Amino acid sequence: MTKLALGAHPFLLGFEQLERLVERTAKTGNDGYPPYNIEQSGDRSYRITLAVAGFAETELSITVEDRQLVIRGRQSEDGDGRIFLHRGIAARQFQRSFVLADGVEVTGATMENGLLHVDLRKAAADTVVQTIRINQS
């Protein structure tokens, strides 16, 4: 039995990049931290919310790299000699990635009560009708 690649199916001409996109999504390395929500906030708008309690805005970065939204957090180490008897609040760096579809753009980001909100908007798709002329051979 041979494995049929997604991009090799005869009805999916030119979709080789879709298979690479699925593979890249599977390799994002997200380990569940920090927790997040994704909600649809309008017909073509979305909001990703990450729980980033303890992080300052300056310790977070949001970038879009090759249609991939990457949110990183890195807290500076406290060097004030504190001794923790119990440390249950995570103070570790993270990287959370989301693959964006064509036409989806980040419109802004806000911090509110320990939650980082990243707003996204999908552009309206243009309907294209093309008539192909048949030439005589």
Side-chain angles (χ1 to χ4, degrees):
M1 182 171 166
T2 60
K3 179 183 174 190
L4 182 63
L6 181 66
H9 193 279
F11 296 135
L12 298 175
L13 299 175
F15 282 89
E16 296 84 10
Q17 71 180 26
L18 182 60
E19 186 172 15
R20 289 191 298 272
L21 184 64
V22 170
E23 289 175 4
R24 187 174 75 188
T25 302
K27 295 178 184 177
T28 57
N30 294 329
D31 64 354
Y33 177 77
Y36 66 94
N37 292 337
I38 301 175
E39 60 185 294
Q40 186 169 0
S41 54
D43 286 343
R44 293 187 316 266
S45 57
Y46 305 92
R47 174 173 268 191
I48 298 172
T49 302
L50 282 83
V52 292
F55 283 87
E57 290 177 31
T58 57
E59 297 171 325
L60 299 169
S61 71
I62 304 169
T63 58
V64 177
E65 305 166 6
D66 190 27
R67 291 185 14 208
Q68 189 165 357
L69 171 66
V70 180
I71 303 169
R72 295 181 178 95
R74 169 172 258 146
Q75 289 181 320
S76 56
E77 288 295 320
D78 294 334
D80 59 4
R82 294 188 293 174
I83 300 172
F84 290 95
L85 301 179
H86 172 76
R87 189 165 190 166
I89 300 172
R92 58 182 173 146
Q93 67 182 15
F94 70 86
Q95 177 173 314
R96 175 70 70 181
S97 301
F98 303 90
V99 178
L100 303 177
D102 285 335
V104 174
E105 296 182 359
V106 177
T107 59
T110 56
M111 282 277 286
E112 177 184 26
N113 300 324
L115 299 174
L116 174 65
H117 303 289
V118 180
D119 294 314
L120 308 165
R121 180 124 181 108
K122 182 174 178 146
D126 295 332
T127 303
V128 177
V129 176
Q130 182 179 6
T131 303
I132 308 300
R133 183 173 171 222
I134 301 173
N135 296 319
Q136 297 282 329
S137 46

